[in-house]
Amino acid sequence: MSTDISFKHINRLAIPALISGVSEPILSLTDAAIIGNVDLNATESLAAVGIVTTFISMLIWVLGQTRSAISSIVSQYVGANKLDQIKNLPAQAIFIITSLSIIIIITTYPFAKTIFKLYNASDLILDYSIVYYRIRVLGFPFTLFTIAVFGAFRGLQNTYHPMLIALTGTLINIVLDVVLVYGIEGVIPAMHIQGAAYASVIAQIIMALFSTYFLLKKTNIPLIPRFPFNQEIRRFILMIINLFVRTIALNVTLYYASAFATSYGAEYIAAYTIAINLWFLGAFIVDGYASAGNILSGKLLGAKAYKELIRLSNKLIRYGIIIGVILGLVGGLIYHPIGHLFTQEPEVLNAFYEVFWIVLLMQPFCTLAFIFDGIFKGLGKMKYLRNVLLFATFLVFLPVLFWLDSLNYKLYAIFIGITLWIIARGIPLIVKFRKTFMPLIQNG
């Protein structure tokens, strides 16, 4: 089994994963940019997109952890040259997760008004949030299906075909956003915020169809679930449960950040929407290298190549710091023009510019935290990931947020809290990793 961790091989996995990962926030950024520039109630529409995106991201991150669990198990079996033993696992996992997604739709659709009131949405923002969500959520099962298929591809050390699927979906979404939001005179009426929602759903359906085609055409993994359950299904479910708890903690952070921003007023939630979506974009750019860490660490663990595992982590730390610094510098160079891509409202722009520098400053810390998230997911160490995020959310982020909010720091409170939250996530992972694997090298 090859244990190649050269710069070239890492980038062969990371760059397609990066392109694939960036497509996810671009779907939301496209909605935000186009909606933020409509003539009618642009600020309220942008605020609604931000609130709904936060909630849908929570749902996707809770159930979309299937990708990490499938990737971890498949990559470890690839490393051990025992792939045939878990060939039926991905189909069973996809069946479980898509079934849960349908339950989510049934249980949230009728209560959209109640849900978004919890985010402090009211009046026109609440109305728009309900309309946008009730369309967007229909694409939820297709999104989870695609995410799970991506997990199978990543476990097989393949990030190229997920990239093609993601690029296709993103381009379709952008075109449909423009057409359906603004309309074509005499052909298609302008649908405004509803058009943005329909564009996303159509793109998600097309991505699911392409995922089905490539998995069946390019791999020997079946999509029809066959029972009894695979022997690894118990470990898969335990991973999902730990990642589920972890993601709940993650979304507690995003919920409080969004709710506090909304409580400050429409211009603040609109500014927060722009800033947090750009933060997500940075996170997904780094996700390429986090994915490479995920894919290779699982394979190296399966092969018991511990020395190469340490070398991999050292290389990814260097790459992560470089990427984080580059992201911060690029953001600094386009500091003011980037705001005008999303809105022309002076109040929104002023609120955004006041805090965007914090988003840029935290990028190197984000890259390290996300890369080691990926490594630990590849190793299957979901319990430790869970505990670290519980600590970072409830003992770091929330106390800082409430304290700084009491001092009337507003968006500063949110983004300073997120910065400290990221640092509290990354450092324990680096320390734990080295304490676990350095002795194995020395003893070996």
Side-chain angles (χ1 to χ4, degrees), residues 348-365:
V348 177
L349 287 171
N350 288 337
F352 168 69
Y353 291 138
E354 283 185 358
V355 297
F356 186 46
W357 64 272
I358 304 176
V359 175
L360 300 179
L361 191 64
M362 75 169 88
Q363 289 307 307
F365 301 107

Side-chain angles (χ1 to χ4, degrees), residues 99-175:
S99 299
L100 287 174
S101 70
I102 293 169
I103 294 172
I104 293 290
I105 294 175
I106 293 170
T107 54
T108 61
Y109 192 93
F111 303 106
K113 184 174 183 179
T114 303
I115 290 167
F116 296 117
K117 277 185 174 180
L118 292 174
Y119 283 79
N120 291 324
S122 60
D123 303 323
L124 193 57
I125 293 176
L126 178 60
D127 293 339
Y128 282 163
S129 296
I130 294 168
V131 168
Y132 185 68
Y133 176 72
R134 285 182 170 168
I135 300 170
R136 274 291 304 269
V137 77
L138 299 179
F140 191 47
F142 301 100
T143 299
L144 291 180
F145 175 89
T146 301
I147 287 171
V149 171
F150 282 12
F153 272 118
R154 289 187 178 191
L156 295 169
Q157 318 292 292
N158 180 342
T159 56
Y160 175 72
H161 288 100
M163 177 191 71
L164 295 181
I165 296 163
L167 280 176
T168 301
T170 301
L171 291 173
I172 288 170
N173 186 79
I174 291 171
V175 172

Side-chain angles (χ1 to χ4, degrees), residues 314-373:
N314 291 338
K315 286 188 175 186
L316 290 176
I317 286 173
R318 291 197 297 272
Y319 301 158
I321 292 173
I322 292 169
I323 293 166
V325 171
I326 291 172
L327 288 173
L329 291 175
V330 170
L333 290 173
I334 58 173
Y335 198 90
H336 283 85
I338 200 168
H340 286 279
L341 289 175
F342 298 94
T343 184
Q344 305 304 319
E345 297 289 334
E347 296 86 357
V348 177
L349 287 171
N350 288 337
F352 168 69
Y353 291 138
E354 283 185 358
V355 297
F356 186 46
W357 64 272
I358 304 176
V359 175
L360 300 179
L361 191 64
M362 75 169 88
Q363 289 307 307
F365 301 107
C366 290
T367 57
L368 291 179
F370 298 149
I371 282 171
F372 273 84
D373 268 1

Side-chain angles (χ1 to χ4, degrees), residues 58-75 89-101 140-141 143-155 232-233 235-244 246-247 294 377-378 382:
M58 178 196 73
L59 295 177
I60 290 173
W61 286 342
V62 167
L63 296 179
Q65 299 303 322
T66 314
R67 176 173 63 187
S68 297
I70 293 174
S71 176
S72 175
I73 294 172
V74 172
S75 64
L89 179 67
Q92 293 173 353
I94 290 169
F95 171 77
I96 292 170
I97 212 68
T98 50
S99 299
L100 287 174
S101 70
F140 191 47
T143 299
L144 291 180
F145 175 89
T146 301
I147 287 171
V149 171
F150 282 12
F153 272 118
R154 289 187 178 191
E232 287 285 6
I233 202 71
R235 183 157 74 107
F236 168 78
I237 291 173
L238 286 175
M239 286 184 180
I240 292 297
I241 291 171
N242 281 319
L243 289 171
F244 175 83
R246 177 181 182 272
T247 309
N294 178 306
K377 286 176 181 176
M382 313 308 189

